[in-house]
Amino acid sequence: MSDRAHLETVCPNNHDLSVTLRRKEFEAALQSDTLVFHCNTCDTNWPPSREDIKKIREQFSKES
């Protein structure tokens, strides 16, 4: 069983991004409202969408 979730997403400037999150860090960042994604290609930060959060939570629930 893994405590990590993987998400393929796209930054606001249309760069593909692969995100890997640990369950504990993900939940802590959500609770403190500090969860952001970062694109190394264009140095952009943005908050995950509700759909992104839903996909990550589904992965964690499948692995429980």
Side-chain angles (χ1 to χ4, degrees):
M1 180 183 337
S2 175
D3 72 333
R4 295 179 187 209
H6 304 282
L7 175 70
E8 298 296 324
T9 190
V10 177
C11 87
N13 294 316
N14 247 5
H15 300 117
D16 293 331
L17 182 71
S18 179
V19 178
T20 302
L21 299 161
R22 291 183 182 267
R23 180 187 295 247
K24 196 173 199 176
E25 294 167 348
F26 169 73
E27 293 298 339
L30 275 181
Q31 288 179 1
S32 65
D33 200 29
T34 59
L35 182 61
V36 293
F37 293 157
H38 177 78
C39 178
N40 289 330
T41 304
C42 63
D43 199 30
T44 299
N45 293 322
W46 72 99
S49 68
R50 288 183 181 179
E51 184 65 27
D52 290 335
I53 292 170
K54 180 181 173 184
K55 287 178 187 177
I56 294 167
R57 282 199 165 133
E58 286 173 353
Q59 281 191 39
F60 285 135
S61 68
K62 287 178 187 176
E63 296 173 6
S64 295

